[in-house]
Amino acid sequence: MRWICKPFYLLLLWKGKVSTIRRSLAKAQRAMASGKEVRVSPRSIRPLPNQPRKLFNHEGLLRLGHSMQLVGQIQPGIIRAVKAEVPIEYELLDGERRWRSAQMVELDYRATLIELDDDAVPWLIAAVANFNRESSAFRKTPSLLLPGKDISKQLV
């Protein structure tokens, strides 16, 4: 049995139909394909609200930050622009560990900036980015889990 995160499960209920979810996935794919890589101050980014992962290993973040100082940030995060909330300009959809590490060692954050007009798509991108990770927060946060089917096969 697979487990899915409560906000994502509620998103599925809210969206209602698999065809609607497929349209949202198509929007996410188009947004990612047309995204542009940017370097921004990590202080201008806020995390996506209600992320299930709340605990981060401080030493691990420092190690990652020092590694980023030595070799750079190998994998970019994913961000979207938000309405002017000075100094916050962006919302983080994927790459929270790298973002936190960049803040700690005062490095610019490398990310793919995507444009979205649908508020459900960021949650979908965040969920898909997290589902395939071995150390997924969804598996580590029992209070946020609900039983569900393997929806990834139904959506493609």
Side-chain angles (χ1 to χ4, degrees), residues 59-130:
E59 290 176 17
L61 291 176
L62 272 176
R63 279 194 306 273
L64 177 58
H66 292 306
S67 170
M68 288 166 56
Q69 284 178 317
L70 290 172
V71 297
Q73 182 184 334
I74 295 171
Q75 182 179 355
I78 302 171
I79 59 175
R80 72 170 177 163
V82 293
K83 292 186 169 109
E85 297 177 25
V86 177
I88 303 300
E89 299 175 54
Y90 306 101
E91 188 169 70
L92 184 67
L93 308 182
D94 181 44
E96 190 161 352
R97 284 187 69 244
R98 288 164 289 188
W99 170 65
R100 288 175 180 269
S101 294
Q103 278 184 312
M104 292 172 84
V105 297
E106 299 180 0
L107 287 176
D108 280 348
Y109 185 71
R110 188 174 137 234
T112 301
L113 175 62
I114 61 173
E115 292 184 28
L116 296 170
D117 60 357
D118 181 341
D119 282 337
V121 176
W123 295 100
L124 203 51
I125 290 172
V128 169
N130 280 292

Side-chain angles (χ1 to χ4, degrees), residues 141-152:
T141 320
S143 62
L144 294 175
L145 300 177
L146 293 173
K149 296 180 181 178
D150 184 355
I151 59 166
S152 62

Side-chain angles (χ1 to χ4, degrees), residues 36-48:
K36 64 178 184 175
E37 191 166 302
V38 296
R39 289 189 180 274
V40 298
S41 166
R43 302 207 187 293
S44 67
I45 302 171
R46 71 174 185 210
L48 191 63

